[in-house]
Amino acid sequence: GVARLGEEAEARQAELKQACAEALEDGDEGAALERISEAIALGCASALMYCKRAQILLQLERPRGAIHDCRAALALNAQSPKALKLRARAYAALSRWLEAQADYSQALQIEHDPVLYEESLAVAAKLKDIEAAAKLAARRRWEIVGGADKGGVVVRDGLDLNSPQLLDPLDGVSPHRLATGAVVAEVELVGDRLHFEKLRGSGPREGWISIALRERVLAIPLAAGAPLAAEDGPEGGAPAEEPPFPPMSPPRADSLSDEDRARQAELKQQAAEAQEGGDVQLALERLTAAITLGCASALLYCRRAEALLQLGRPRAAANDCVAALQINPDSGKAFKTRARAHARLKRWADAHSDFQEGLRIDYDEDTYQESLSIEAKARGMRAVAAEKRLVVEQDKERRRLQEEKAAEELRLQTERLLAQARAEEGARMRKFERMYMSDQFGRVAWEKGFMTDFMGTKRGKCKCKNCPVYCWTPVRLSS
């Protein structure tokens, strides 16, 4: 570049800088940018001029241009706190938090600024949140599939199944359950007990749940990197309570009159037009009216089931599909629609089974692609169930071995006690023999068939006055 400006160029540059300042005072950032850019183009631009343009570019929401000018300013003055501060703000505007934190830190080392310090704290907090989110994303994720009939699964305060249940903060009495369909991140897995942090859905923010209980699968692991499914019910839980099922076709209607048949055809046409117009509720009303006339076909029930699904009533939709299959057991449409209803209710095994049967009867590529995600969930449930069965079998085998070991130890201990008793009895007999036979009077008495009183204990002299023991002759008592 230019080593030095002439007097005329310097005067023009000063004039342009003044015009830039006036434009900024008037709030015209566009004109200010043009004036400062002209001044820089003259040559010999200072770090401060580049910082001025960077500041204007930030006001015009052009952070990349601001970063470029800040680099130019730092090339002229590596210790420019203003350039570092502006570049940090530009990086923050681009969500480049690491670079922003580095520039904030360097700027504060050169020159402390309370406002800049507060901005740096906000960036540090953002970085901390990102780091925590990254750690959370790296954990294995689980989807709650059990407890749909009870409003979710029980959450306890600790690992032990006897630890206190978490209570609903609204009433402090009823259990605070983790809703079916919720997605959680694994903190720790100990056997069948999962310590979780909630990612989506209703329920406690964290706690302990069972992933399987008495052959029932309550939670399944999600594939790594799999996106979270769309929420079906409030806060991602199970579908909300449904209204009563719509009425069914009269069971005794064997045939329709010509008038009723014409009316039924008219109602079906009105339902089709309502669905095309996006009024699903009206279509449901027309289909229900057609069904209640009697002699409803499997296809008619399937059409109402689809409308019920669109209105978020999967239980009623499944009920209509059952009615359709009673009329036509080979209705592929009924199986596919019921599979979708089961999927909305998180009944993955039932959904997978119905999808497979529906595709067997009437294959189509779209339904096949739809069934793949359900198959993965069903496979996950089978894997958890198989793991649970394995754990149960291992636990039974462990208990059996423990019982056998305890029985063997008891048998050995009994044998030791018996051997010890026999040894003690033998010792007592040998002691008696030694004591009794060592006495000459006792030995003579024994040889002649006499018994000493108290098993050889001396108690005064014999009546004969000659022997020192009292002896007696055993006699057989008559019966």
Side-chain angles (χ1 to χ4, degrees), residues 74-286:
L74 289 168
L76 297 171
N77 179 10
Q79 298 297 310
S80 170
K82 187 174 183 68
L84 289 167
K85 174 174 66 174
L86 290 169
R87 190 170 68 173
R89 288 172 179 162
Y91 280 139
L94 294 170
S95 299
R96 294 164 61 176
W97 306 110
L98 280 174
E99 292 104 322
Q101 186 186 43
D103 278 353
Y104 273 125
S105 178
Q106 190 175 350
L108 287 168
Q109 288 177 3
I110 297 170
E111 179 183 81
H112 183 74
D113 179 352
V115 175
L116 195 65
Y117 177 70
E118 291 297 326
E119 291 178 10
S120 72
L121 290 180
V123 170
K126 181 66 72 173
L127 270 174
K128 188 175 180 181
D129 290 344
I130 291 172
E131 183 180 356
K135 288 181 179 178
L136 199 61
R139 297 176 186 169
R140 184 161 56 159
R141 294 179 300 169
W142 295 75
E143 182 176 356
I144 308 305
V145 297
D149 55 336
K150 297 180 180 178
V153 299
V154 171
V155 181
R156 296 188 180 275
D157 186 51
L159 168 64
D160 197 288
L161 283 170
N162 294 321
S163 60
Q165 290 188 25
L166 298 187
L167 301 179
D168 193 322
L170 296 178
D171 58 21
V173 177
S174 58
H176 198 192
R177 294 177 177 267
L178 189 60
T180 306
V183 177
V184 299
E186 177 184 315
V187 177
E188 184 181 5
L189 183 64
V190 182
D192 289 338
R193 299 288 289 163
L194 174 68
H195 184 199
F196 72 88
E197 285 186 10
K198 186 182 67 178
L199 296 178
R200 194 205 72 194
S202 63
R205 188 179 65 82
E206 65 173 332
W208 289 83
I209 61 170
S210 295
I211 61 172
L213 189 65
R214 289 194 288 276
E215 302 298 325
R216 289 186 294 115
V217 177
L218 304 180
I220 59 172
L222 295 175
L228 298 183
E231 299 184 4
D232 292 321
E235 298 189 46
E241 288 299 318
E242 296 182 23
F245 293 170
M248 311 298 279
S249 180
R252 296 182 180 178
D254 296 329
S255 61
L256 295 179
S257 64
D258 292 341
E259 182 182 351
D260 285 343
R261 192 177 297 108
R263 176 61 179 159
Q264 193 176 67
E266 180 184 354
L267 287 168
K268 290 195 289 187
Q269 181 61 33
Q270 291 175 1
E273 292 171 356
Q275 280 190 315
E276 288 178 3
D279 193 344
V280 183
Q281 183 61 44
L282 178 60
L284 174 64
E285 293 172 3
R286 296 295 179 267

Side-chain angles (χ1 to χ4, degrees), residues 288 308 329 403:
T288 300
L308 288 164
E403 289 171 0

